[in-house]
Amino acid sequence: MLRFRSRAASPGAALLAFSLAACAGDQGPVAPAPPETRQPELVRLSCTASVAERTVVCASPTPGEGGARGVIVGGQGTYVQLTSSNVSYTAATQTLQFDVTVQNLIPQPMGTTDGTTPSATGVRVFFTGPPSTTVGSGTVTVQNEDGQGVFTASGQDYFQYSGALLGADGILGTSETSGARTWQMHVPTTALTFRFSLYVAADVPFPKGYVDVSPAADSLLEGATQPLTATVRNVVGEVVPGAAVTWGSSDTGVLTVDAGGVVTAVSAGSGMVTATSGERTGSAAIAVCPSLAAGAVRAFGMPAGASLCLGGGGGGAEYTVVPVNTDDVAAIALGVTGSGITGVTGGPTPLRAGTGARLAGVRRGAWSGEDYAFSARLRRTGARERAGRAAARSAAGGSVRRAITPGVPAVGALMSINVQTANFCSTFDTRTGRVQAVGTHAIVLADTSNPSGGFTAADYQALADSFDAFVHPVLQANFGAPADIDGNGRVILFYTRGVNQQTDAAGFFLWRDLRPATECPTSNVGELLYLAVPDGSGTVGTARSKAAVYEHTFRTMAHEGAQLINASRRMYVNTPWSGELEEAWLDEALGDVAEELVFYSRSGLAPGANLDVADIGGTITVQDAFFRYASPNVFRLAEWLRAPHAAGLVEPDAPDSASRGAAWAFLRYAADRKGGAQASTWGALVNTQATGLASLQAALGTDPLPWLRDFDAAMYADDAVPSPAAAYTQPSWNFRDLYSGIDLDPGPDCSCAFPLVPRNPSNGVQDSFTLDAGGAAAYLRMRVPASAFAGVTVRTGGVAPPSTVRLAVIRRN
């Protein structure tokens, strides 16, 4: 069925009636419509039925015959077409029977007031009055009518066509023919011929007429102009000559229209141009497409981003559409449909040509030093213990326990340290630690029950020296110093088999050690990091070689040290303590940033240098620093890039590997974008009582949620499209080149490719997926042919997504 996109429905559609020649062949058009100033006429057509010949023949009325006043001029073959078939007569019952169909010939649908909802009355064919016998005698009557109504007079018989007779939608569209109804008339055998007249009555959307608005194109690029034409028509679509038209726009921020009907596309979006002539109106929906040069990125909110158009330009254009879920709590199911797009040729993702350099010896060892499930359990346990710390304080009475003797101990001194993690403040697992080395900022303890073959005294001294030389300076410069509740001015590094027995992680920090024993009886009451020990045979957990432990211990010092400082300063420096620690995602991300900052310190490189394979492979010193401190972040980010829709960046719960990688990269992006002294940004995130996004907003000085969308767009656009705006770049890392030169997977073959592979939707087919909370994104690659336009719709449950869904559109070429 044809719909009227360019016409606005009028309220309260009136009766539309047509005069018809009934049940005969096409009698040709009736006289043209009278001038607009006259009341139109319903021309009565006379029909003659011959029982003997089994025919029904209709003709125009002869001159002088009367006509009834009505709303329009009607005519068989002009506005409607009634067709009869299967004419038969049964003498025994004196019944003349025939089948009749109705065809709509006007430009409006019949049997509806709005074009979509069927009217209860459907389409009715009614008799102007009783049939009259012209040859013979007797009275002819309608036998199986649906009812009697008042149309042009009272008591007029009618047949109703509705429901399935008008098609699946119950409306008789333009050029549509109804199903057949069987009409029966009682005709005495003495009545040889008789006459009757028929009319059709039906609701239509525009009973007063309408205005046809005809754009040459319904999509325009920003800045383009397009003249429109308006044709004023009466109810049956005939042109009303000389009718004046007034133009208007539904949204002048999207498009404007002048008095002559020339439309100017102002900004991306969609709007309606209306043409009004008296009571008649019409409109045209026009989509304004963003005018993007190659490399440009455009951001959209909702609902504006729910329906977009994209232009192909003179040579065709490739776009990547990136919906992002910035809701930090709830996932959302989306469907994206591209109409007018073509398949994208070439590789699955645009790859910047690598430098040709390859980083040698890059393999992830069997032991990664990570245990995300253990980290999540620690955080859940910690949250539970913090919630009940008032009860713990009451149970402890006035007793005070100090595992760490205040002041600087001597080498060889012993301390009893609780390493229990299952119940922070109620269970003990005490180990004896001997002081192995005392540095300027670190005290190294070794569990006296550690497996043999581990670190030597010289190794422990080297660990203390290294912490002093390059871990502590980075932590203090960027995050500040911890509170020093044990009065020794140092962080205790406890190398204990207790770590190996509980987790595959290279180490951890417990906030409970920062609380007094009166509040948490099992606290060690000091600044303390727990670190794994070498155990090549795996006697107390996963086998860990001395070299592997040494490899992971420094980044663990940095990561866990940052978390220690964050918690310590919240409790004792940024007073009064709110009782809350940093949200898991931001706490872990800051620890990962600390690892990266040590990489810069050790390599002599700096943020903002767009580091690629050639930079990392420049010297053995730089390579060693990269693999020790920076590569774990790069590996985790790769996991997110492989399925960016499945993991958020700012999830409130303890993050997994992919989320951690993305959160680190987002903090790096945010600090680069903010500019200025980055140490002040990192410091602001720990010198506060705010948490999560509130803490990040205060540090950045702006709402970080739009930056989630921009970061996701930058992960695709950076170093892949020509000269993107600064907001869509990654200033510190050239990830596309970097991933082309490192091996992300174990095995003999190098993976060596940028992991992000966009989705490739088919034309007109909805691509459905679920975006995780907290910045998860999907990347949909589309091509628009030359000199054409494509439409892109984003939906959730069939409607526009909420404002928490944000969109970026990237033009590649």
Side-chain angles (χ1 to χ4, degrees):
M1 174 173 296
L2 297 182
R3 296 286 185 258
F4 290 89
R5 177 190 60 77
S6 62
R7 299 166 192 141
S10 300
L15 174 71
L16 173 68
F18 304 92
S19 66
L20 319 160
C23 311
D26 185 359
Q27 300 299 308
V30 298
E36 188 69 4
T37 55
R38 289 182 52 198
Q39 174 69 37
E41 293 180 351
L42 286 171
V43 177
R44 179 168 53 85
L45 299 183
S46 300
C47 301
T48 301
S50 171
V51 176
E53 297 179 6
R54 306 293 194 269
T55 61
V56 180
V57 179
C58 295
S60 298
T62 59
E65 286 189 304
R69 295 290 184 180
V71 292
I72 63 167
V73 173
Q76 171 85 330
T78 302
Y79 307 127
V80 291
Q81 178 76 45
L82 262 66
T83 303
S84 65
S85 61
N86 302 322
V87 181
S88 65
Y89 181 73
T90 303
T93 60
Q94 299 182 359
T95 300
L96 180 69
Q97 175 174 298
F98 47 91
D99 296 335
V100 180
T101 61
V102 182
Q103 183 181 18
N104 177 13
L105 300 181
I106 69 170
Q108 296 197 61
M110 298 173 67
T112 178
T113 60
D114 59 11
T116 58
T117 305
S119 297
T121 55
V123 175
R124 292 177 172 180
V125 182
F126 68 92
F127 291 73
T128 61
S132 59
T133 301
T134 56
V135 177
S137 62
T139 301
V140 177
T141 60
V142 181
Q143 188 166 295
N144 67 330
E145 74 278 7
D146 289 313
Q148 291 184 333
V150 178
F151 298 96
T152 59
S154 61
Q156 293 174 308
D157 295 325
Y158 68 84
F159 288 95
Q160 180 167 316
Y161 291 73
S162 58
L165 286 174
L166 300 185
D169 59 359
I171 297 171
L172 193 63
T174 299
S175 300
E176 185 177 4
T177 301
S178 74
R181 286 289 314 272
T182 299
W183 294 16
Q184 294 177 349
M185 305 182 75
H186 178 78
V187 182
T189 56
T190 56
L192 303 181
T193 64
F194 60 92
R195 299 175 62 186
F196 59 92
S197 296
L198 298 174
Y199 293 82
V200 171
D203 287 330
V204 292
F206 312 101
K208 297 181 182 300
Y210 53 89
V211 181
D212 254 335
V213 180
S214 302
D218 58 7
S219 297
L220 296 173
L221 285 176
E222 290 171 327
T225 61
Q226 173 69 55
L228 304 180
T229 59
T231 304
V232 182
R233 299 182 182 276
N234 64 19
V235 66
V236 292
E238 297 169 328
V239 175
V240 178
V245 172
T246 300
W247 294 93
S249 169
S250 64
D251 187 345
T252 56
V254 174
L255 49 86
T256 60
V257 58
D258 66 15
V262 177
V263 173
T264 299
V266 178
S267 64
S270 60
M272 300 290 291
V273 174
T274 59
T276 303
S277 179
E279 294 184 280
R280 299 178 171 108
T281 63
S283 61
I286 297 180
V288 178
C289 310
S291 181
L292 300 179
V297 182
R298 183 71 63 84
F300 295 94
M302 294 294 161
S307 297
L308 296 174
C309 65
L310 303 174
E318 181 182 315
Y319 296 90
T320 299
V321 176
V322 187
V324 178
N325 180 17
T326 63
D327 189 318
D328 63 335
V329 176
I332 188 168
L334 293 181
V336 178
T337 306
S339 301
I341 63 174
T342 60
V344 181
T345 58
T349 184
L351 291 172
R352 179 181 183 274
T355 61
R358 182 66 50 80
L359 301 182
V362 184
R363 297 290 177 196
R364 300 186 75 172
W367 178 55
S368 68
E370 301 286 1
D371 189 339
Y372 299 103
F374 174 78
S375 176
R377 182 176 67 79
L378 281 189
R379 291 189 179 276
R380 288 193 296 269
T381 301
R384 183 176 64 249
E385 295 286 354
R386 285 199 304 279
R389 68 181 182 273
R393 184 187 306 114
S394 175
S399 62
V400 177
R401 169 187 174 273
R402 273 194 176 276
I404 300 171
T405 303
V408 180
V411 173
L414 298 177
M415 298 184 190
S416 296
I417 303 296
N418 177 27
V419 300
Q420 177 61 262
T421 61
N423 296 288
F424 277 20
C425 294
S426 58
T427 307
F428 286 92
D429 181 2
T430 303
R431 306 299 173 92
T432 299
R434 175 175 284 111
V435 177
Q436 296 288 335
V438 178
T440 306
H441 302 289
I443 298 170
V444 179
L445 291 183
D447 192 331
T448 57
S449 64
N450 281 342
S452 61
F455 291 137
T456 66
D459 292 330
Y460 286 124
Q461 185 62 55
L463 291 171
D465 294 341
S466 295
F467 183 88
D468 287 345
F470 56 83
V471 176
H472 170 79
V474 168
L475 293 178
Q476 180 153 322
N478 290 279
F479 305 110
D484 192 26
I485 63 174
D486 52 11
N488 56 32
R490 292 160 176 82
V491 173
I492 294 177
L493 308 176
F494 184 29
Y495 285 87
T496 173
R497 64 185 288 162
V499 172
N500 300 45
Q501 290 171 316
Q502 298 183 79
T503 177
D504 279 344
F508 53 84
F509 152 72
L510 298 178
W511 66 265
R512 64 106 187 267
D513 292 326
L514 296 176
R515 302 311 296 162
T518 53
E519 181 179 322
C520 184
T522 61
S523 172
N524 291 303
V525 193
E527 289 78 20
L528 174 66
L529 301 182
Y530 302 83
L531 298 163
V533 297
D535 182 14
S537 61
T539 57
V540 290
T542 301
R544 317 171 199 220
S545 69
K546 182 176 178 179
V549 173
Y550 195 82
E551 185 78 19
H552 291 299
T553 196
F554 292 110
R555 69 176 182 83
T556 304
M557 291 178 188
H559 186 100
E560 302 300 321
Q563 294 183 344
L564 184 156
I565 293 169
N566 198 343
S568 175
R569 295 186 71 84
R570 285 172 181 271
M571 292 178 185
Y572 298 105
V573 179
N574 314 323
T575 56
W577 183 35
S578 67
E580 296 296 327
L581 297 179
E582 184 54 89
E583 289 184 9
W585 72 268
L586 186 50
D587 201 31
E588 294 291 350
L590 284 170
D592 294 333
V593 165
E595 297 177 37
E596 181 195 13
L597 294 174
V598 175
F599 156 73
Y600 290 128
S601 174
R602 298 296 292 157
S603 66
L605 301 174
N610 203 34
L611 299 178
D612 58 18
V613 172
D615 297 317
I616 300 304
T619 66
I620 294 300
T621 299
V622 174
Q623 284 199 47
D624 180 72
F626 174 77
F627 292 121
R628 182 169 293 176
Y629 302 107
S631 66
N633 289 330
V634 175
F635 284 124
R636 284 188 288 262
L637 177 60
E639 294 183 35
W640 183 81
L641 288 168
R642 290 190 181 103
H645 66 285
L649 288 63
V650 297
E651 295 180 333
D653 295 330
D656 59 14
S657 179
S659 293
R660 265 187 61 179
W664 158 74
F666 175 58
L667 281 195
R668 163 49 52 206
Y669 162 88
D672 289 341
R673 179 171 175 177
K674 179 177 182 288
Q678 292 195 358
S680 65
T681 299
W682 310 130
L685 290 170
V686 300
N687 289 290
T688 180
Q689 292 294 355
T691 62
L693 289 171
S695 176
L696 185 58
Q697 178 162 338
L700 298 178
T702 188
D703 182 0
L705 292 181
W707 285 26
L708 286 175
R709 172 197 55 206
D710 297 346
F711 162 80
D712 287 341
M715 286 307 304
Y716 185 87
D718 185 53
D719 294 302
V721 301
S723 304
Y728 306 108
T729 63
Q730 301 283 353
S732 289
W733 295 95
N734 184 339
F735 289 116
R736 289 187 178 273
D737 188 80
L738 189 64
Y739 283 114
S740 72
I742 60 175
D743 194 2
L744 297 173
D745 302 307
D749 299 323
C750 182
S751 57
C752 299
F754 187 59
L756 176 58
V757 179
R759 310 169 78 92
N760 200 343
S762 300
N763 181 47
V765 178
Q766 179 173 280
D767 188 351
S768 300
F769 46 84
T770 296
L771 293 183
D772 196 17
Y779 298 80
L780 298 99
R781 191 177 173 202
M782 310 173 179
R783 186 161 189 83
V784 183
S787 304
F789 291 94
V792 178
T793 59
V794 184
R795 296 288 184 268
T796 179
V799 300
S803 60
T804 50
V805 174
R806 301 169 189 257
L807 196 74
V809 176
I810 306 166
R811 179 170 176 179
R812 184 188 169 205
N813 57 27

